Amino acid sequence: MLDFIARRLVAIIPVLAVVAVFVFLMLRLTPGDPAAVIAGDNATSDQIADIRAKLGLNEPLWTQFAIWIGNVLQGNFGESFFFKKTVAELIAQRIEPTVALSVCTLLFAVAVSVPIGVLAAYRQGSVFDRVVMGFSVLGFSVPGFVIGYCLIYVFAIELGWLPVQGYVRIEVNFWQFLERMILPSLTLSVGFIALIARITRASVLEVLNEDYIRTARAKGLSNRVVLMRHALRNAAVPILTVIGLGIAILIGGAVVTESVFGLPGLGRLTVEAVLSRDFPTIQTVILMFSVVYVVINLLIDISYTVFDPRIRY
Amino acid sequence: MTSSASPSPSPTLPRQTGEVARSAGGGPVLEVRNLTVSLPKGADRTNAVEKVSFTVNRGEIVCLVGESGSGKSVIAFTVMGLLAKALKPTGGEILLEGENVLAADETRLRDLRCTRMSMIFQEPMTALNPVMTCGEQIDEVLSTHTNLDANARKAKILGILARVKLPEPERIYHSYPHQLSGGQRQRIMIAMALVLDPVLLIADEPTTALDVTTQAEILKLIAELQESQGTGVLFITHDFGVVAEIAHRVAVLRWGELVEMGPTEQILARPGQGYTKMLISSVPSIHPQHRGERKNAITVLRTQKLGKTYTGHGFFQKARVVKAAVDVDLDIRKGETLGIVGESGSGKSTVARCIARLIDPSEGKVFLGDTEIATMPAGKLRPHRKRVQIVFQDPYRSMNPRITVGDFITEGPMNFGLGRGEALARARRLMETVRLDPNALDRYPHQFSGGQRQRICIARALAMEPELLIADEAVSALDVSVQKQVLELLDEIRQRLNLAVLFITHDLRVAAQICDFVAVMSKGRVVEYGPAEQVFGAPRDNYTKALFAAAPGRHWEFGKFAAA
Amino acid sequence: MTVATEDVVDSASIAAASTKRRSLWLVALHNPNVIIGGAILLVMVAIAALAPFLGTIDPTRIDPAARNKKPGTEITMRMDDGTTVKREAIMGTDSLGRDVYSRVLYGARVSLAVGVSVALIAIAAGIVIGLIAGYIRWADGFIMRIMDGLMAIPGILLAIALVSIWRAGLVTVIFAIVVPDVPRVVRLVRSIVLTVREEPYVEGAISVGTPTWILMFRHILPNTIAPLIVQGTFIAAAAILVEAALSFLGIGIPPEIPSWGNIMAEGRTLFRVFPHNIFYPGIFLAFTVLAINIMGDGLRDTLDPKMSKKV
């Protein structure tokens, strides 16, 4: 068990190293002087010289990398010249809507998609199964922002039930917060639900073909017990895996969804940073999202041990 | 009936006497009458099972025996009501203690399962739920079918675990399936099946996936338990050794139809039907025949302290070291067959693959003639590759499905510079050698049966004009009648071409028939090595003795009947 | 309950089924999903190819007099030579007075080009890298660590990062979408290579002295074709969506090029009043991607049944 966790922990080190190197090299790959790129379009030559000194741009590349990674590990992500703040402050300011949106979406999507997927597998070939499969293909195919605008059009503009855009902090007013979370979460959920429902159905179907399911039926157990006690628990590992991998979709979707609904989160920040070529911010956001993604998947890997005793080596 | 009497007169079967005594006491537990099960449209025949009738009496073991496609498993699953949706019982009835289970609804069937009829399966490795402890899985049976409280259930489970002779029932109760061996898992399955004393036990090839020593133990256990409880057993198998070991009565199936049925002794010694005669004649004898000696022939292959070690990595544990083969010394002369026999994990295939240099040996030497190839770098190895050819176990995966038989056979010779025309001519000759139509060279593998594919693989190996032919379990996946033909072919080719053959098998009967010399392997080491007659006739090593003692039906000499 | 105990059908019927093995491609062409998806896709391809002949005008033509018109409005166009022509704007106009119908039809070209080129480039790169990783042991660890690292960056973010490096343009956008897809193809190819290498027929070929490169092309690579075609369709579908998302966010293809994402990006500000700017391209986009996905499902079920168990 400890051995397993240690292995997983060690395994993510090279992954994160590659991410760090990529993020570091990003800036060097842009045409032009990195210091000038960081300082932005309106910088004075003094500012540029200052940045050059700070980043050690006159040093060899690996020294620059060492300086950079040293700073990052101390939580010093540099300064955004466009927003006139340190990147750390900027992110702290923008993180809440993104976390709120992701958590709402994740909870809603998992709560809906897993039961749907199980039921579709259980009734393979039925009308319900076909409808679920049909919707899941549709869910993959309609882009998030189109879904978002459709929802806004119907529920906010035509029906007027919910606000169109905007964000209210959870500590300011919970109900207003919730009201403004419904449409974005729904939007972001669609693709996620499609993905998890599909994989749930496929995993359960695969498990239902296993020999031990036949054994369970030969014991005279009811279909419900066979499904819930024997099939679902065995299907849990692939389902969890896909939920973990789906976090990437969630993060990508958040960028788009926040733009549609005017949520001042990290996704929106990313787009603003790219549009203003604010590299310290872009680098940090990418690094941060990647770390979050890797760590969540690490936790999921470790959680397999709860579901499958064979993984405890 | 022209039964060319078997060399040694048939000894009495141990099961025979008991059967007479017990069948007097019990009426039929299971009666199958005119059962027909239809196959889905597009299959090669309309019915998987056609008008089959037989009975199983209380306290009796009935073997359903047949080759693949005979429909024997279909019958078992029909009785349990576990048939795949595509298959439908369309006629007849199945009476379990007089109740027609074909007419029973799903609820009634569920009530019957594990209480009055139980089933155990072929693959103990996959038949248990990997994420539940063995105790929980047996407990489910009790909590579903009885009103016992938790303590009573636990006591009953520990009781049955002890009865199936599992050590430390308390520990086993809390173990997950992956922590147990194959034999132990099959015992768990048997415990689960018999915990509520059903009147009928269906065993679908329950020992086929097990090693021969484990198989013997499981067969003994099933016989003991059914004897003490008076359970009727429907035992499905393809192995006549097992039939001779365990059955009171035998039903022979072919293409879904019942060929004949009768007491074991009668069917084995005096089969009435041509098909049964052919099947029984195909069973290789466990006693090797005397074969000519080739003391003066030149040595083709010699291994010296050959070894293969696998190392795994661990973080907190020590690195795991698996010695798959240790200090293996073998030699084979021209025109000679050396068999390596052993159970799974004994290292016999590792040795074969090291010799063929499909894997690199860790220690020792392999001399091919005078050339040492164990440490030869891959680049220099190529000219020597043609000298050793290998035929694998699985006829379905041994051929690239996208390539015609002609291309398959000519690939090797053309790699070594033979022109296409010459290579094709050679392929045609070889197709005749392996008794296949030379005009079939432009066909694809899927158009051939398993036995035919194995012949094609032999032809391909021969096309390289090798000095050594390795057959790695080459007949293990084949039905017994096909197996016999391929074995005869191999032996004939060996004789004609004066070829050295390394024959890897787990099947003692096959080894006894084809080998001049036998090496018995266990845990990576050769524990006994000598002429086949000597090893089989008077084994010296304890493991070898135990192995031979476990061979099912070893007391029975299967007769050779002239085809009717 | 649909627990199939398939193994009960003895191997005879399985053998019988396999003797009827038709060419997989023919089977695929008879799959209803492939037919339906393929048909819709063909229509889209036709629209893209024939865009100039379907009553469109120059999709980049700005007409200040005809700004923000609802669908169905009749517009008077002043031509360069001073004459005026009346035409109906079926899908309305945008805030620069450009004809949305023309832009949507021409937009099909951009989307399909992005989908096809991303799929082809990603697969080509994936095959090469995957074969190297699957065949050369010392390169494997190094390559796969890099691929793992790239896969750790959520796809759209990686594309955004790459776009931000090179500044927007059709080629850079395509390349930015390709990069996150490559590791997935590499993994697929590598896993097939590693599995097939263990097959007895490959070991057999090794023991008859078949040189490595023939082994690769004759015995190993053909096994990757079916899965890669399936994977390719899904990559194309996803690429079209990513391009649309990037353009929609204003960080994709330059805004003057008519792509569906750009049309929608243009329509964002006035969405409450003129939703057609988002809905029409949205419908075309969704239909195209849907068609590719449906076709991909059908291809997967027929060409690569093993993979249909994963996602």
Side-chain angles (χ1 to χ4, degrees):
Chain A
M1 179 84 172
L2 266 179
D3 193 56
F4 177 75
I5 295 175
R7 275 161 189 268
R8 308 312 298 173
L9 269 172
V10 171
I12 70 168
I13 292 173
V15 172
L16 291 179
V18 172
V19 174
V21 169
F22 170 80
V23 169
F24 169 74
L25 285 179
M26 246 181 85
L27 193 59
R28 325 286 142 164
L29 290 172
T30 47
D33 177 8
V37 172
I38 288 182
D41 295 338
N42 305 320
T44 64
S45 54
D46 282 357
Q47 279 173 324
I48 294 176
D50 189 37
I51 293 167
R52 178 178 297 279
K54 262 192 207 161
L55 296 181
L57 283 181
N58 302 322
E59 308 282 332
L61 201 61
W62 64 270
T63 319
Q64 296 179 30
F65 180 71
I67 295 173
W68 178 78
I69 200 87
N71 283 335
V72 165
L73 289 176
Q74 289 165 29
N76 176 5
F77 299 103
E79 235 172 297
S80 162
F81 287 81
F82 180 78
F83 292 101
K84 311 261 184 286
K85 273 182 191 145
T86 66
V87 176
E89 279 173 350
L90 202 56
I91 284 177
Q93 201 178 33
R94 297 287 202 107
I95 201 163
E96 190 196 288
T98 307
V99 172
L101 176 64
S102 308
V103 171
C104 288
T105 305
L106 201 59
L107 293 179
F108 177 69
V110 172
V112 172
S113 56
V114 174
I116 285 182
V118 173
L119 209 59
Y122 183 64
R123 303 215 175 127
Q124 188 196 9
S126 70
V127 176
F128 178 79
D129 180 31
R130 280 155 201 262
V131 169
V132 168
M133 288 306 281
F135 268 107
S136 87
V137 183
L138 200 66
F140 282 134
S141 308
V142 185
F145 46 96
V146 173
I147 295 171
Y149 279 113
C150 288
L151 291 176
I152 293 178
Y153 190 76
V154 174
F155 293 101
I157 298 177
E158 291 292 310
L159 296 172
W161 291 353
L162 295 163
V164 175
Q165 283 185 324
Y167 181 72
V168 170
R169 283 181 168 270
I170 189 165
E171 65 270 22
V172 174
N173 185 323
F174 181 71
W175 289 115
Q176 287 185 2
F177 160 80
L178 207 61
E179 222 175 36
R180 282 165 178 78
M181 272 293 103
I182 292 175
L183 290 184
S185 305
L186 265 180
T187 305
L188 195 47
S189 298
V190 173
F192 211 50
I193 290 176
L195 179 72
I196 304 171
R198 241 173 125 95
I199 195 69
T200 304
R201 175 182 178 275
S203 324
V204 173
L205 276 181
E206 194 172 342
V207 170
L208 286 178
N209 275 319
E210 295 283 347
D211 285 357
Y212 52 79
I213 295 294
R214 186 179 61 188
T215 307
R217 297 217 302 142
K219 286 199 270 191
L221 303 183
S222 70
N223 288 343
R224 199 178 51 84
V225 173
V226 171
L227 186 73
M228 301 311 282
R229 199 184 295 162
H230 290 267
L232 197 53
R233 215 179 132 194
N234 277 287
V237 166
I239 297 172
L240 269 174
T241 308
V242 166
I243 292 178
L245 296 176
I247 301 287
I249 298 180
L250 203 63
I251 293 171
V255 176
V256 176
T257 310
E258 287 177 15
S259 291
V260 171
F261 290 92
L263 302 178
L266 292 175
R268 186 82 207 114
L269 178 67
T270 313
V271 178
E272 286 164 13
V274 171
L275 287 173
S276 51
R277 296 182 62 75
D278 178 7
F279 270 91
T281 308
I282 304 176
Q283 284 178 308
T284 310
V285 170
I286 287 171
L287 196 60
M288 200 190 71
F289 274 132
S290 304
V291 171
V292 168
Y293 180 52
V294 169
V295 169
I296 289 178
N297 278 289
L298 172 73
L299 294 178
I300 286 178
D301 268 11
I302 292 172
S303 77
Y304 292 162
T305 53
V306 178
F307 292 94
D308 194 336
R310 285 168 298 182
I311 303 179
R312 284 170 207 164
Y313 50 80
Chain B
M1 308 296 130
T2 47
S3 154
S4 71
S6 37
S8 56
S10 333
T12 41
L13 287 167
R15 307 291 304 162
Q16 198 187 353
T17 42
E19 188 248 323
V20 179
R22 260 178 289 110
S23 61
V29 175
L30 178 75
E31 287 175 79
V32 175
R33 290 183 187 160
N34 274 323
L35 178 68
T36 299
V37 180
S38 65
L39 281 169
K41 272 182 201 148
D44 58 337
R45 57 184 204 249
T46 38
N47 293 320
V49 175
E50 201 161 324
K51 299 219 168 106
V52 168
S53 304
F54 63 91
T55 57
V56 179
N57 294 315
R58 200 171 298 282
E60 182 186 45
I61 298 183
V62 173
C63 270
L64 281 185
V65 62
E67 298 187 293
S68 53
S70 61
K72 53 193 192 300
S73 288
V74 174
I75 294 174
F77 282 87
T78 315
V79 176
M80 288 299 286
L82 291 173
L83 219 44
K85 267 191 173 171
L87 301 178
K88 292 222 160 40
T90 45
E93 48 190 11
I94 297 174
L95 303 179
L96 178 69
E97 292 185 304
E99 179 181 353
N100 187 0
V101 294
L102 284 185
D105 64 5
E106 187 60 33
T107 321
R108 180 65 190 148
L109 274 175
R110 277 207 293 263
D111 288 343
L112 291 174
R113 289 179 196 146
C114 251
T115 58
R116 292 180 45 211
M117 56 179 179
S118 287
M119 184 159 178
I120 55 178
F121 304 95
Q122 175 171 355
E123 269 298 337
M125 290 316 204
T126 54
L128 290 167
N129 188 336
V131 304
M132 286 169 78
T133 63
C134 297
E136 281 169 357
Q137 297 192 48
I138 302 177
D139 188 66
E140 265 189 330
V141 175
L142 298 180
S143 56
T144 308
H145 296 292
T146 70
N147 296 320
L148 298 174
D149 66 28
N151 289 331
R153 292 204 303 267
K154 175 99 186 250
K156 202 168 165 65
I157 294 167
L158 293 179
I160 190 85
L161 288 179
R163 265 177 61 204
V164 297
K165 296 186 182 133
L166 280 163
E168 304 175 68
E170 186 69 41
R171 180 180 65 83
I172 299 279
Y173 184 96
H174 293 289
S175 295
Y176 287 98
H178 72 275
Q179 295 164 323
L180 306 180
S181 70
Q184 287 176 320
R185 291 188 215 189
Q186 200 59 292
R187 283 170 198 269
I188 296 284
M189 283 300 293
I190 294 171
M192 194 186 285
L194 297 183
V195 67
L196 290 175
D197 291 324
V199 290
L200 175 69
L201 174 69
I202 300 173
D204 184 12
E205 305 253 12
T207 58
T208 307
L210 301 174
D211 276 326
V212 59
T213 45
T214 320
Q215 174 179 43
E217 290 164 16
I218 296 289
L219 288 178
K220 193 163 152 244
L221 178 70
I222 292 176
E224 275 173 21
L225 288 174
Q226 70 83 220
E227 203 157 350
S228 66
Q229 300 301 314
T231 320
V233 176
L234 180 60
F235 195 105
I236 287 143
T237 185
H238 67 281
D239 185 340
F240 273 95
V242 171
V243 172
E245 192 76 27
I246 199 168
H248 297 124
R249 288 194 299 142
V250 186
V252 182
L253 288 166
R254 182 195 201 185
W255 295 111
E257 287 174 56
L258 189 71
V259 177
E260 65 179 311
M261 183 167 186
T264 309
E265 207 270 341
Q266 178 199 321
I267 296 284
L268 293 187
R270 299 178 298 280
Q273 299 296 315
Y275 178 69
T276 317
K277 286 179 190 170
M278 186 277 289
L279 274 187
I280 293 173
S281 308
S282 302
V283 180
S285 166
I286 199 154
H287 303 292
Q289 295 147 340
H290 182 76
R291 295 165 69 115
E293 306 225 337
R294 287 175 197 77
K295 281 253 158 25
N296 303 320
I298 49 165
T299 301
V300 174
L301 173 90
R302 190 157 57 85
T303 67
Q304 221 172 54
K305 300 223 170 292
L306 181 66
K308 176 71 186 172
T309 310
Y310 292 99
T311 23
H313 299 285
F315 241 77
F316 293 126
Q317 310 111 310
K318 277 186 291 183
R320 278 184 307 171
V321 176
V322 180
K323 297 205 165 195
V326 188
D327 290 347
V328 177
D329 295 327
L330 300 170
D331 55 89
I332 312 177
R333 280 175 293 229
K334 225 170 169 34
E336 204 174 78
T337 302
L338 168 65
I340 304 183
V341 298
E343 299 184 295
S344 56
S346 61
K348 55 189 191 302
S349 278
T350 306
V351 170
R353 293 161 63 82
C354 281
I355 291 170
R357 271 297 297 267
L358 289 170
I359 49 177
D360 297 334
S362 327
E363 297 117 51
K365 291 181 171 143
V366 177
F367 290 99
L368 207 54
D370 295 326
T371 328
E372 205 285 306
I373 59 160
T375 51
M376 192 176 272
K380 285 195 184 158
L381 192 63
R382 204 164 161 262
H384 299 288
R385 283 232 183 260
K386 60 182 293 194
R387 302 170 66 188
V388 180
Q389 289 300 305
I390 185 162
V391 177
F392 298 97
Q393 172 172 10
D394 188 340
Y396 293 91
R397 287 167 57 199
S398 299
M399 298 174 74
N400 185 341
R402 293 181 176 81
I403 285 176
T404 63
V405 170
D407 288 342
F408 180 70
I409 297 177
T410 56
E411 180 174 24
M414 285 169 69
N415 283 336
F416 287 93
L418 202 65
R420 187 173 169 76
E422 272 175 86
L424 271 175
R426 188 187 287 182
R428 292 181 70 89
R429 277 203 309 278
L430 285 168
M431 286 292 271
E432 274 167 22
T433 309
V434 299
R435 314 255 162 68
L436 288 172
D437 181 4
N439 296 318
L441 282 178
D442 53 354
R443 294 206 203 141
Y444 286 89
H446 66 88
Q447 293 166 297
F448 296 90
S449 69
Q452 289 171 329
R453 287 181 190 218
Q454 234 29 353
R455 289 162 187 272
I456 295 170
C457 290
I458 292 170
R460 141 122 145 179
L462 295 179
M464 301 300 289
E465 299 175 334
E467 294 157 39
L468 172 68
L469 181 67
I470 302 177
D472 187 1
E473 299 274 11
V475 297
S476 304
L478 305 175
D479 275 327
V480 62
S481 56
V482 183
Q483 185 180 60
K484 186 188 177 204
Q485 297 163 5
V486 175
L487 281 176
E488 282 169 359
L489 176 70
L490 270 173
D491 213 37
E492 180 198 313
I493 288 168
R494 174 194 58 84
Q495 248 170 8
R496 218 172 71 193
L497 304 176
N498 206 14
L499 204 63
V501 178
L502 178 61
F503 197 94
I504 315 291
T505 184
H506 70 281
D507 189 328
L508 297 172
R509 290 177 178 276
V510 167
Q513 280 321 292
I514 197 164
C515 300
D516 300 300
F517 287 84
V518 173
V520 181
M521 284 191 76
S522 169
K523 293 174 187 153
R525 290 175 187 275
V526 175
V527 293
E528 185 152 1
Y529 181 24
E533 270 177 295
Q534 186 190 317
V535 174
F536 277 83
R540 281 166 295 144
D541 181 77
N542 283 337
Y543 174 77
T544 316
K545 284 180 192 163
L547 190 68
F548 289 171
R554 65 203 165 281
H555 304 299
W556 183 265
E557 188 57 44
F558 292 95
K560 302 289 170 225
F561 307 97
Chain C
M1 192 84 194
T2 54
V3 180
T5 37
E6 241 86 37
D7 46 341
V8 178
V9 187
D10 277 323
S11 48
S13 50
I14 295 165
S18 70
T19 53
K20 280 178 203 148
R21 188 187 141 126
R22 271 181 296 165
S23 159
L24 275 177
W25 306 103
L26 278 176
V27 178
L29 283 179
H30 284 91
N31 181 289
N33 281 349
V34 176
I35 296 171
I36 295 170
I40 303 177
L41 202 59
L42 271 182
V43 172
M44 284 297 167
V45 171
I47 288 176
L50 303 175
F53 312 105
L54 296 173
T56 56
I57 56 169
D58 179 2
T60 57
R61 187 193 137 101
I62 294 172
D63 186 351
R67 287 186 309 188
N68 293 328
K69 293 289 184 262
K70 295 221 163 171
T73 317
E74 200 176 59
I75 288 170
T76 312
M77 289 199 311
R78 186 174 300 278
M79 306 308 281
D80 293 339
D81 54 9
T83 57
T84 58
V85 180
K86 281 192 197 256
R87 77 184 282 279
E88 189 190 332
I90 326 176
M91 298 183 186
T93 62
D94 67 11
S95 57
L96 296 173
R98 293 175 297 197
D99 181 46
V100 174
Y101 172 74
S102 307
R103 288 178 72 73
V104 167
L105 260 52
Y106 277 95
R109 292 182 165 189
V110 177
S111 285
L112 291 175
V114 168
V116 171
S117 42
V118 168
L120 289 180
I121 300 170
I123 283 174
I127 287 179
V128 174
I129 303 175
L131 281 182
I132 294 173
Y135 232 86
I136 304 176
R137 221 166 271 169
W138 59 265
D140 186 30
F142 178 70
I143 292 178
M144 290 323 286
R145 290 298 80 71
I146 292 184
M147 294 300 139
D148 287 348
L150 283 181
M151 282 177 75
I153 307 175
I156 288 195
L157 277 191
L158 182 52
I160 289 177
L162 293 170
V163 169
S164 72
I165 295 176
W166 297 309
R167 293 191 187 264
L170 187 57
V171 176
T172 54
V173 167
I174 287 174
F175 194 74
I177 302 173
V178 164
V179 173
D181 283 327
V182 171
R184 287 163 185 85
V185 184
V186 170
R187 279 197 160 192
L188 180 67
V189 173
R190 174 178 174 270
S191 74
I192 293 170
V193 172
L194 291 183
T195 325
V196 177
R197 255 174 67 159
E198 302 289 312
E199 286 292 312
Y201 72 76
V202 172
E203 295 199 321
I206 294 173
S207 65
V208 297
T210 305
T212 305
W213 64 275
I214 294 189
L215 206 64
M216 200 97 99
F217 285 97
R218 193 176 195 196
H219 297 289
I220 294 180
L221 215 50
N223 290 290
T224 64
I225 294 174
L228 281 179
I229 286 179
V230 174
Q231 180 89 344
T233 58
F234 293 128
I235 289 178
I240 292 176
L241 284 181
V242 174
E243 180 274 318
L246 291 179
S247 298
F248 172 80
L249 294 171
I251 51 183
I253 295 171
E256 63 276 9
I257 298 178
S259 88
W260 291 333
N262 277 338
I263 306 171
M264 291 187 265
E266 208 286 321
R268 276 171 76 184
T269 38
L270 293 173
F271 170 71
R272 292 181 198 212
V273 203
F274 304 109
H276 62 268
N277 276 343
I278 288 196
F279 288 152
Y280 285 118
I283 288 168
F284 271 73
L285 177 58
F287 255 93
T288 309
V289 178
L290 188 65
I292 301 177
N293 276 333
I294 290 176
M295 196 173 78
D297 275 359
L299 288 174
R300 187 195 52 204
D301 292 347
T302 46
L303 298 183
D304 193 13
K306 264 179 269 168
M307 197 167 103
S308 55
K309 285 178 180 162
K310 309 162 195 163
V311 187

